[in-house]
Amino acid sequence: FPQLLVCISLLCALTGALTLVASHTSPDRRFEQFTSQLFQKEMTGSTLNMHYTIADPKAFGISEYEPVLPIYHSYQPEDSKEHCSDLLHRLDRIGPDRLSPENAYTYRLLHRSLENDLALADFPYYNEPLSPSSGMQSQLPVLLAEYTFRTKRDVTDYLALLDQIDDYFASLLLYEQEKAAAGFFMPACSSEKVRKQCDTIVTTEELAQGTHFLQTTFEDRLSELQKQGLFTPEETASLIKTNDHGGAARLCRPVRRAALTGDFHQCRFHCIRNNYQYCFGQKQQCPQWAPERARPAAGRKDLLSPSAVFRDRFLPFRKRTGADAACAISERAIRNPQSGCPVPFPAHTAF
């Protein structure tokens, strides 16, 4: 009888262990782990996005992270496409048929989103981060001004993000250089609007007087934390000084640089064609902008050929979507010299 009890106990323990292992390796469990890891990676890739998405990162398994702004690199489009393909491959190995109804619905939404991202990866220069209507030159200061302070970590993260603004806008200008080299730079009217926005949203006069909204809103948010006892008056004064001299002031230079000043202003459109640049719609030599400086990284020479852009970008899009009218409008806008970026299309192109 004692031996029988031992056998029954071992059998129960073995059954429980197998059930536990099965629950951890079930399709639902694997899918939830996959989506959790994907969410954590997306959030830690941009502290600004994470702060506006979740109030408590620890509640989502994010305990250690570095405050970062998303910096663009020349090889990013290829990396994004490869990463998206890898995610789809991993997702396909799970399969929606064995998931719960709720997870199956999430699976379909995620799969469709990744498929769209993968298709969009063939058109890396259709985005406009410096758009006159909602570009980062105007959006970033507003996002920083509305950055909620809940903890001490929020304040240190905020100041760390300010320190990265130079690199962030430099990466956006790199993207615009590559975009112009591919023949997709913004029209002259849009460029002028961006320049005016950059001249007005952050001014050295307001920063010097301490009246800029990034300074006043920082003080207001910090005073609330002081009332809660998170900071002493001395610590608050020190942080305000850091923001005035090393924080908000840093935003002035890169935002004004985004106005296409300096080399970018002197050769605003620099669409490469026969070693000339199209500056303000006029063809003239720009010695300070050698064509080599605007070339994308190795392995992407096709982007320098407008005819290749037309063949590899417009035609597949037109064939896949049937959007002849929309493409024709886009082609006219790009070909128009007044757009600031005239692009030579093949002679057989119908307009």
Side-chain angles (χ1 to χ4, degrees):
F1 184 74
Q3 293 179 346
L4 179 61
L5 289 178
V6 172
C7 292
I8 293 174
S9 300
L10 291 175
L11 181 61
C12 291
L14 181 60
T15 303
L18 291 175
T19 303
L20 183 62
V21 172
S23 65
H24 281 280
T25 57
S26 66
D28 279 309
R29 178 65 177 174
R30 289 169 54 200
F31 178 71
E32 291 167 4
Q33 289 178 339
F34 173 81
T35 54
S36 178
Q37 293 172 0
L38 179 60
F39 178 78
Q40 292 173 7
K41 187 172 183 179
E42 290 293 325
M43 289 295 97
T44 54
S46 173
T47 306
L48 201 59
N49 287 345
M50 180 175 69
H51 190 77
Y52 274 90
T53 304
I54 53 179
D56 183 13
K58 291 183 179 180
F60 294 86
I62 304 173
S63 56
E64 298 294 335
Y65 65 90
E66 293 293 331
V68 293
L69 288 173
I71 304 297
Y72 174 81
H73 302 283
S74 293
Y75 50 81
Q76 186 168 316
E78 285 81 2
D79 287 350
S80 298
K81 186 173 184 178
E82 183 178 348
H83 176 63
C84 193
S85 298
D86 178 64
L87 291 177
L88 276 172
H89 179 68
R90 292 171 57 189
L91 198 58
D92 288 336
R93 287 187 295 181
I94 297 176
D97 298 336
R98 299 172 59 190
L99 297 176
S100 66
E102 182 180 356
N103 282 341
Y105 180 71
T106 304
Y107 179 100
R108 290 192 295 271
L109 291 178
L110 179 59
H111 199 280
R112 185 181 303 172
S113 176
L114 290 174
E115 286 179 331
N116 291 338
D117 289 343
L118 186 61
L120 188 63
D122 290 330
F123 305 90
Y125 298 120
Y126 278 48
N127 186 31
E128 185 48 78
L130 297 179
S131 167
S133 59
S134 59
M136 292 310 296
Q137 76 283 353
S138 59
Q139 284 289 88
L140 184 59
V142 175
L143 291 173
L144 292 173
E146 297 178 352
Y147 194 98
T148 306
F149 290 166
R150 303 181 184 92
T151 64
K152 286 186 174 182
R153 177 65 189 265
D154 290 336
V155 179
T156 56
D157 285 352
Y158 175 88
L159 294 175
L161 293 180
L162 289 180
D163 287 338
Q164 300 176 36
I165 288 178
D166 275 347
D167 293 336
Y168 176 69
F169 273 101
S171 74
L172 293 186
L173 294 184
L174 170 64
Y175 175 79
E176 292 292 346
Q177 293 171 26
E178 295 183 0
K179 184 175 179 179
F184 291 101
F185 191 64
M186 68 180 72
C189 57
S190 297
S191 174
E192 183 62 19
K193 290 180 181 178
V194 172
R195 185 192 64 78
K196 290 181 179 179
Q197 289 174 359
C198 294
D199 284 340
T200 57
I201 197 167
V202 181
T203 64
T204 55
E205 292 79 10
E206 288 179 321
L207 292 174
Q209 297 170 5
T211 59
H212 192 271
F213 66 85
L214 282 176
Q215 295 170 307
T216 58
T217 56
F218 181 81
E219 294 177 11
D220 293 340
R221 287 171 287 170
L222 207 58
S223 64
E224 292 298 322
L225 295 185
Q226 181 181 332
K227 293 177 182 178
Q228 298 173 20
L230 295 180
F231 291 109
T232 65
E234 293 76 14
E235 290 174 330
T236 300
S238 176
L239 289 170
I240 290 175
K241 183 177 180 180
T242 299
N243 179 67
D244 289 343
H245 299 286
R250 295 180 64 89
L251 188 62
C252 182
R253 183 173 66 255
V255 168
R256 290 178 66 83
R257 188 190 306 154
L260 312 183
T261 54
D263 287 343
F264 232 75
H265 177 76
Q266 296 172 21
C267 195
R268 184 176 299 182
F269 303 113
H270 72 285
C271 295
I272 298 177
R273 182 183 179 188
N274 299 328
N275 294 335
Y276 281 87
Q277 317 289 355
Y278 283 85
C279 301
F280 301 93
Q282 301 296 324
K283 184 176 180 180
Q284 62 187 48
Q285 191 78 34
C286 290
Q288 70 273 22
W289 263 98
E292 293 79 14
R293 293 180 63 184
R295 286 178 181 168
R300 302 175 67 187
K301 295 180 180 179
D302 63 303
L303 297 179
L304 293 176
S305 169
S307 60
V309 169
F310 178 82
R311 181 188 68 244
D312 300 334
R313 311 290 189 198
F314 279 112
L315 291 184
F317 175 79
R318 171 179 292 180
K319 183 178 180 180
R320 184 166 60 251
T321 64
D324 286 354
C327 284
I329 293 174
S330 299
E331 290 160 6
R332 291 193 196 100
I334 294 176
R335 193 174 186 180
N336 179 10
Q338 296 304 315
S339 71
C341 194
V343 178
F345 285 98
H348 65 269
T349 304
F351 291 96

Short mmCIF file of all heavy atoms in Angstrom, two decimals, residues 242-282:
data_model
loop_
_atom_site.label_atom_id
_atom_site.label_comp_id
_atom_site.label_asym_id
_atom_site.label_seq_id
_atom_site.Cartn_x
_atom_site.Cartn_y
_atom_site.Cartn_z
N THR A 242 20.08 73.74 -15.50
CA THR A 242 20.57 72.77 -16.49
C THR A 242 19.72 72.81 -17.75
O THR A 242 20.24 72.76 -18.87
CB THR A 242 20.54 71.35 -15.89
OG1 THR A 242 21.38 71.31 -14.75
CG2 THR A 242 21.01 70.33 -16.92
N ASN A 243 18.41 72.91 -17.58
CA ASN A 243 17.52 72.96 -18.74
C ASN A 243 17.71 74.24 -19.54
O ASN A 243 17.71 74.22 -20.78
CB ASN A 243 16.07 72.86 -18.27
CG ASN A 243 15.09 72.91 -19.42
OD1 ASN A 243 15.03 72.02 -20.25
ND2 ASN A 243 14.29 73.97 -19.47
N ASP A 244 17.89 75.36 -18.85
CA ASP A 244 18.03 76.65 -19.55
C ASP A 244 19.32 76.72 -20.36
O ASP A 244 19.31 77.20 -21.50
CB ASP A 244 18.00 77.80 -18.55
CG ASP A 244 16.62 78.01 -17.96
OD1 ASP A 244 15.66 77.49 -18.55
OD2 ASP A 244 16.51 78.68 -16.91
N HIS A 245 20.41 76.23 -19.81
CA HIS A 245 21.72 76.41 -20.45
C HIS A 245 22.17 75.18 -21.24
O HIS A 245 22.82 75.32 -22.27
CB HIS A 245 22.77 76.76 -19.40
CG HIS A 245 22.48 78.04 -18.69
ND1 HIS A 245 22.65 79.28 -19.26
CD2 HIS A 245 22.00 78.28 -17.44
CE1 HIS A 245 22.30 80.23 -18.41
NE2 HIS A 245 21.91 79.64 -17.29
N GLY A 246 21.82 74.00 -20.77
CA GLY A 246 22.28 72.81 -21.46
C GLY A 246 21.18 72.00 -22.08
O GLY A 246 21.42 71.03 -22.77
N GLY A 247 19.91 72.40 -21.83
CA GLY A 247 18.80 71.61 -22.33
C GLY A 247 18.05 72.30 -23.43
O GLY A 247 18.29 72.06 -24.61
N ALA A 248 17.13 73.21 -23.07
CA ALA A 248 16.30 73.88 -24.07
C ALA A 248 17.15 74.65 -25.08
O ALA A 248 16.81 74.73 -26.26
CB ALA A 248 15.32 74.82 -23.38
N ALA A 249 18.27 75.21 -24.62
CA ALA A 249 19.13 75.97 -25.53
C ALA A 249 19.70 75.08 -26.63
O ALA A 249 19.99 75.56 -27.73
CB ALA A 249 20.27 76.61 -24.75
N ARG A 250 19.85 73.79 -26.35
CA ARG A 250 20.40 72.88 -27.36
C ARG A 250 19.43 72.67 -28.51
O ARG A 250 19.85 72.26 -29.60
CB ARG A 250 20.73 71.53 -26.72
CG ARG A 250 21.82 71.56 -25.68
CD ARG A 250 22.07 70.19 -25.12
NE ARG A 250 22.57 69.28 -26.14
CZ ARG A 250 23.85 69.13 -26.43
NH1 ARG A 250 24.76 69.83 -25.77
NH2 ARG A 250 24.25 68.29 -27.36
N LEU A 251 18.15 72.94 -28.27
CA LEU A 251 17.17 72.72 -29.32
C LEU A 251 17.23 73.79 -30.39
O LEU A 251 16.83 73.57 -31.52
CB LEU A 251 15.76 72.69 -28.70
CG LEU A 251 14.61 72.27 -29.62
CD1 LEU A 251 14.82 70.84 -30.10
CD2 LEU A 251 13.28 72.40 -28.90
N CYS A 252 17.75 74.95 -30.05
CA CYS A 252 17.76 76.06 -31.00
C CYS A 252 18.62 75.76 -32.21
O CYS A 252 18.17 75.91 -33.34
CB CYS A 252 18.26 77.33 -30.30
SG CYS A 252 18.28 78.79 -31.38
N ARG A 253 19.85 75.29 -31.99
CA ARG A 253 20.77 75.09 -33.10
C ARG A 253 20.31 74.00 -34.07
O ARG A 253 20.24 74.25 -35.27
CB ARG A 253 22.17 74.79 -32.57
CG ARG A 253 23.21 74.63 -33.68
CD ARG A 253 24.62 74.50 -33.13
NE ARG A 253 24.81 73.29 -32.36
CZ ARG A 253 24.89 73.26 -31.03
NH1 ARG A 253 24.76 74.37 -30.34
NH2 ARG A 253 25.07 72.12 -30.39
N PRO A 254 19.96 72.80 -33.60
CA PRO A 254 19.56 71.77 -34.56
C PRO A 254 18.25 72.06 -35.26
O PRO A 254 18.08 71.70 -36.43
CB PRO A 254 19.46 70.51 -33.70
CG PRO A 254 19.28 70.99 -32.31
CD PRO A 254 20.04 72.26 -32.23
N VAL A 255 17.30 72.72 -34.58
CA VAL A 255 16.04 73.04 -35.24
C VAL A 255 16.27 74.06 -36.34
O VAL A 255 15.72 73.97 -37.43
CB VAL A 255 15.00 73.54 -34.22
CG1 VAL A 255 13.81 74.15 -34.92
CG2 VAL A 255 14.54 72.39 -33.34
N ARG A 256 17.12 75.03 -36.06
CA ARG A 256 17.44 76.01 -37.10
C ARG A 256 18.23 75.35 -38.23
O ARG A 256 18.12 75.75 -39.39
CB ARG A 256 18.22 77.18 -36.51
CG ARG A 256 17.38 78.06 -35.59
CD ARG A 256 18.20 79.18 -34.99
NE ARG A 256 18.66 80.11 -36.03
CZ ARG A 256 17.92 81.10 -36.50
NH1 ARG A 256 16.70 81.28 -36.03
NH2 ARG A 256 18.40 81.90 -37.41
N ARG A 257 19.06 74.36 -37.87
CA ARG A 257 19.78 73.63 -38.91
C ARG A 257 18.80 72.87 -39.79
O ARG A 257 19.01 72.70 -40.99
CB ARG A 257 20.77 72.67 -38.29
CG ARG A 257 21.70 72.03 -39.32
CD ARG A 257 22.49 70.90 -38.67
NE ARG A 257 23.19 71.35 -37.49
CZ ARG A 257 23.52 70.54 -36.50
NH1 ARG A 257 23.19 69.27 -36.54
NH2 ARG A 257 24.17 71.01 -35.46
N ALA A 258 17.70 72.42 -39.21
CA ALA A 258 16.68 71.72 -39.99
C ALA A 258 15.99 72.66 -40.95
O ALA A 258 15.27 72.23 -41.83
CB ALA A 258 15.65 71.08 -39.06
N ALA A 259 16.18 73.97 -40.77
CA ALA A 259 15.63 74.93 -41.71
C ALA A 259 16.43 74.97 -42.99
O ALA A 259 16.22 75.84 -43.83
CB ALA A 259 15.61 76.32 -41.07
N LEU A 260 17.37 74.05 -43.13
CA LEU A 260 18.20 73.95 -44.32
C LEU A 260 19.13 75.14 -44.45
O LEU A 260 19.26 75.75 -45.50
CB LEU A 260 17.32 73.82 -45.58
CG LEU A 260 16.20 72.80 -45.46
CD1 LEU A 260 15.45 72.70 -46.78
CD2 LEU A 260 16.74 71.44 -45.08
N THR A 261 19.74 75.51 -43.32
CA THR A 261 20.72 76.59 -43.34
C THR A 261 22.09 76.01 -43.61
O THR A 261 22.26 74.82 -43.75
CB THR A 261 20.71 77.32 -41.99
OG1 THR A 261 20.91 76.36 -40.95
CG2 THR A 261 19.39 78.02 -41.75
N GLY A 262 23.11 76.88 -43.64
CA GLY A 262 24.47 76.41 -43.90
C GLY A 262 24.57 75.78 -45.27
O GLY A 262 24.05 76.29 -46.26
N ASP A 263 25.27 74.65 -45.36
CA ASP A 263 25.44 73.96 -46.64
C ASP A 263 24.10 73.56 -47.22
O ASP A 263 23.88 73.64 -48.43
CB ASP A 263 26.29 72.70 -46.44
CG ASP A 263 27.76 73.04 -46.22
OD1 ASP A 263 28.13 74.19 -46.53
OD2 ASP A 263 28.50 72.18 -45.73
N PHE A 264 23.18 73.13 -46.38
CA PHE A 264 21.88 72.69 -46.90
C PHE A 264 21.11 73.87 -47.44
O PHE A 264 20.33 73.74 -48.38
CB PHE A 264 21.09 72.01 -45.77
CG PHE A 264 20.60 70.66 -46.14
CD1 PHE A 264 21.46 69.59 -46.20
CD2 PHE A 264 19.27 70.45 -46.42
CE1 PHE A 264 21.02 68.34 -46.54
CE2 PHE A 264 18.81 69.21 -46.76
CZ PHE A 264 19.68 68.14 -46.82
N HIS A 265 21.28 75.05 -46.85
CA HIS A 265 20.58 76.23 -47.34
C HIS A 265 21.20 76.71 -48.64
O HIS A 265 20.49 77.07 -49.58
CB HIS A 265 20.65 77.34 -46.29
CG HIS A 265 20.01 78.62 -46.73
ND1 HIS A 265 18.64 78.78 -46.77
CD2 HIS A 265 20.54 79.78 -47.16
CE1 HIS A 265 18.36 80.00 -47.20
NE2 HIS A 265 19.50 80.62 -47.44
N GLN A 266 22.51 76.71 -48.73
CA GLN A 266 23.18 77.19 -49.92
C GLN A 266 22.90 76.28 -51.11
O GLN A 266 22.87 76.73 -52.25
CB GLN A 266 24.69 77.27 -49.67
CG GLN A 266 25.06 78.29 -48.61
CD GLN A 266 26.53 78.21 -48.25
OE1 GLN A 266 27.33 77.71 -49.02
NE2 GLN A 266 26.88 78.71 -47.08
N CYS A 267 22.72 75.02 -50.85
CA CYS A 267 22.41 74.09 -51.92
C CYS A 267 21.19 73.29 -51.49
O CYS A 267 21.27 72.13 -51.16
CB CYS A 267 23.59 73.17 -52.20
SG CYS A 267 23.41 72.31 -53.76
N ARG A 268 20.06 73.95 -51.45
CA ARG A 268 18.89 73.43 -50.77
C ARG A 268 18.39 72.13 -51.36
O ARG A 268 17.99 71.22 -50.65
CB ARG A 268 17.77 74.48 -50.80
CG ARG A 268 16.53 74.06 -50.04
CD ARG A 268 15.51 75.15 -50.02
NE ARG A 268 16.03 76.33 -49.35
CZ ARG A 268 15.30 77.43 -49.15
NH1 ARG A 268 14.06 77.47 -49.56
NH2 ARG A 268 15.82 78.47 -48.55
N PHE A 269 18.39 72.02 -52.64
CA PHE A 269 17.75 70.85 -53.23
C PHE A 269 18.75 69.80 -53.70
O PHE A 269 18.45 68.63 -53.74
CB PHE A 269 16.86 71.29 -54.40
CG PHE A 269 15.83 72.28 -53.98
CD1 PHE A 269 15.87 73.57 -54.44
CD2 PHE A 269 14.86 71.91 -53.08
CE1 PHE A 269 14.93 74.48 -54.02
CE2 PHE A 269 13.92 72.82 -52.66
CZ PHE A 269 13.95 74.11 -53.13
N HIS A 270 19.92 70.20 -54.05
CA HIS A 270 21.04 69.32 -54.43
C HIS A 270 20.59 67.98 -55.01
O HIS A 270 21.06 66.92 -54.64
CB HIS A 270 22.00 69.14 -53.25
CG HIS A 270 21.50 68.30 -52.13
ND1 HIS A 270 20.58 68.72 -51.23
CD2 HIS A 270 21.84 67.05 -51.74
CE1 HIS A 270 20.36 67.80 -50.34
NE2 HIS A 270 21.10 66.77 -50.63
N CYS A 271 19.64 68.01 -55.97
CA CYS A 271 19.27 66.80 -56.69
C CYS A 271 20.34 66.56 -57.75
O CYS A 271 20.55 67.38 -58.64
CB CYS A 271 17.91 66.96 -57.37
SG CYS A 271 16.57 67.16 -56.19
N ILE A 272 21.03 65.47 -57.65
CA ILE A 272 22.21 65.24 -58.48
C ILE A 272 21.81 64.95 -59.92
O ILE A 272 21.00 64.09 -60.19
CB ILE A 272 23.02 64.07 -57.92
CG1 ILE A 272 23.50 64.44 -56.51
CG2 ILE A 272 24.19 63.72 -58.82
CD1 ILE A 272 24.25 63.35 -55.85
N ARG A 273 22.41 65.69 -60.83
CA ARG A 273 22.20 65.46 -62.26
C ARG A 273 23.36 66.10 -63.00
O ARG A 273 23.51 67.31 -63.00
CB ARG A 273 20.87 66.08 -62.72
CG ARG A 273 20.58 65.83 -64.19
CD ARG A 273 19.28 66.54 -64.58
NE ARG A 273 18.97 66.35 -65.99
CZ ARG A 273 17.98 66.97 -66.60
NH1 ARG A 273 17.22 67.80 -65.94
NH2 ARG A 273 17.76 66.76 -67.88
N ASN A 274 24.18 65.28 -63.61
CA ASN A 274 25.34 65.76 -64.37
C ASN A 274 26.26 66.64 -63.52
O ASN A 274 26.79 67.65 -63.97
CB ASN A 274 24.88 66.54 -65.60
CG ASN A 274 24.05 65.69 -66.53
OD1 ASN A 274 24.27 64.48 -66.64
ND2 ASN A 274 23.08 66.29 -67.20
N ASN A 275 26.46 66.23 -62.25
CA ASN A 275 27.36 66.92 -61.32
C ASN A 275 26.93 68.35 -61.04
O ASN A 275 27.73 69.18 -60.64
CB ASN A 275 28.79 66.92 -61.85
CG ASN A 275 29.35 65.52 -61.89
OD1 ASN A 275 28.91 64.65 -61.15
ND2 ASN A 275 30.33 65.30 -62.75
N TYR A 276 25.66 68.66 -61.28
CA TYR A 276 25.13 69.98 -60.93
C TYR A 276 24.10 69.81 -59.83
O TYR A 276 23.62 68.72 -59.55
CB TYR A 276 24.47 70.66 -62.13
CG TYR A 276 25.45 71.28 -63.09
CD1 TYR A 276 26.00 70.52 -64.12
CD2 TYR A 276 25.82 72.61 -62.97
CE1 TYR A 276 26.90 71.08 -65.01
CE2 TYR A 276 26.71 73.17 -63.86
CZ TYR A 276 27.25 72.42 -64.87
OH TYR A 276 28.13 72.97 -65.74
N GLN A 277 23.77 70.92 -59.23
CA GLN A 277 22.73 70.91 -58.21
C GLN A 277 21.61 71.84 -58.66
O GLN A 277 21.85 72.83 -59.32
CB GLN A 277 23.28 71.40 -56.86
CG GLN A 277 24.63 70.87 -56.48
CD GLN A 277 24.59 69.39 -56.12
OE1 GLN A 277 23.51 68.83 -56.09
NE2 GLN A 277 25.71 68.79 -55.87
N TYR A 278 20.39 71.47 -58.28
CA TYR A 278 19.26 72.35 -58.54
C TYR A 278 19.00 73.16 -57.28
O TYR A 278 18.43 72.67 -56.31
CB TYR A 278 18.03 71.53 -58.93
CG TYR A 278 18.11 71.04 -60.34
CD1 TYR A 278 18.79 69.86 -60.64
CD2 TYR A 278 17.56 71.78 -61.37
CE1 TYR A 278 18.88 69.42 -61.94
CE2 TYR A 278 17.65 71.33 -62.67
CZ TYR A 278 18.31 70.15 -62.96
OH TYR A 278 18.40 69.71 -64.25
N CYS A 279 19.47 74.40 -57.29
CA CYS A 279 19.34 75.25 -56.12
C CYS A 279 18.25 76.28 -56.37
O CYS A 279 18.34 77.07 -57.30
CB CYS A 279 20.65 75.97 -55.81
SG CYS A 279 22.02 74.83 -55.52
N PHE A 280 17.22 76.24 -55.55
CA PHE A 280 16.09 77.15 -55.68
C PHE A 280 15.51 77.11 -57.09
O PHE A 280 15.06 78.10 -57.63
CB PHE A 280 16.50 78.58 -55.33
CG PHE A 280 17.04 78.71 -53.95
CD1 PHE A 280 18.40 78.61 -53.72
CD2 PHE A 280 16.19 78.91 -52.88
CE1 PHE A 280 18.90 78.73 -52.43
CE2 PHE A 280 16.70 79.02 -51.60
CZ PHE A 280 18.05 78.93 -51.37
N GLY A 281 15.50 75.91 -57.68
CA GLY A 281 14.92 75.73 -58.99
C GLY A 281 15.83 76.15 -60.12
O GLY A 281 15.46 76.05 -61.29
N GLN A 282 17.03 76.63 -59.84
CA GLN A 282 17.96 77.07 -60.87
C GLN A 282 19.15 76.14 -60.93
O GLN A 282 19.70 75.76 -59.91
CB GLN A 282 18.43 78.51 -60.59
CG GLN A 282 17.30 79.51 -60.52
CD GLN A 282 16.58 79.65 -61.84
OE1 GLN A 282 17.21 79.58 -62.90
NE2 GLN A 282 15.28 79.85 -61.78
#
